[in-house]
Amino acid sequence: HTNNSMQIRARVSESGLHIACGSESGHCFIWDVDPNKNRSKKSAINKQIQSTKDKTKSTDYFEASKASLPIVTDTLFFPTNTVRESFLTSKEMLPLSLGLDRIDDDFSSAAILTLDYDGTIRVFIRKTCIDNILEACTPRGGTMA
């Protein structure tokens, strides 16, 4: 991904495993930077090439602005404790959120705030995080009688 005229700051998640950055295209890009993922055991040159390929393959993005000038100027990961507390106290969103501590998920990358060039603030929640919570905390996941 390339921004042609603006320098847009990237942010690292609290866990250090993800980087997010806005863009001039109206998208938010998220890179998975897990150093233990997809390691190549070849020579140093091949490791560098493999690492570059892994970064490309592990990029996710989503539309974060529909403004007439769709530039996402900033992104922020919500802190882990804030996300966990929000899930625990959100009875409307997750009425059966029991056993949240048992969920194996990187909550530091679960919610992202974006700001666009028009000043619109949006919050996005990672669907896989919600799916993991529902799997572990509902009858489907086996924690309820």
Side-chain angles (χ1 to χ4, degrees):
H1 172 72
T2 302
N3 287 321
N4 295 317
S5 61
M6 296 187 74
Q7 293 182 2
I8 300 176
R9 179 185 351 193
R11 306 285 184 148
V12 179
S13 68
E14 190 175 10
S15 68
L17 299 177
H18 298 89
I19 297 174
C21 186
S23 70
E24 294 173 355
S25 67
H27 293 89
C28 177
F29 289 83
I30 303 170
W31 289 270
D32 180 358
V33 292
D34 184 351
N36 298 316
K37 200 173 192 177
N38 299 322
R39 287 251 164 167
S40 173
K41 296 181 181 173
K42 297 179 182 176
S43 69
I45 293 174
N46 286 340
K47 283 184 183 179
Q48 187 175 9
I49 292 170
Q50 182 67 34
S51 176
T52 303
K53 289 179 183 175
D54 287 345
K55 287 178 187 174
T56 304
K57 289 179 184 175
S58 64
T59 303
D60 262 338
Y61 67 94
F62 57 90
E63 185 176 39
S65 177
K66 294 184 179 191
S68 58
L69 191 57
I71 300 171
V72 179
T73 57
D74 206 356
T75 58
L76 291 170
F77 288 102
F78 280 84
T80 299
N81 289 339
T82 302
V83 173
R84 292 176 69 85
E85 185 65 27
S86 296
F87 287 149
L88 285 171
T89 59
S90 179
K91 295 183 183 355
E92 292 80 27
M93 189 170 93
L94 296 169
L96 302 175
S97 59
L98 304 170
L100 197 57
D101 291 335
R102 299 176 339 116
I103 299 167
D104 183 25
D105 198 278
D106 179 11
F107 287 105
S108 74
S109 66
I112 294 178
L113 178 138
T114 65
L115 177 66
D116 71 18
Y117 197 73
D118 288 346
T120 303
I121 297 171
R122 292 183 175 85
V123 175
F124 297 90
I125 300 174
R126 188 170 32 86
K127 184 181 180 314
T128 56
C129 180
I130 300 295
D131 291 344
N132 290 340
I133 291 171
L134 290 174
E135 184 66 29
C137 300
T138 63
R140 181 177 76 183
T143 62
M144 306 255 331

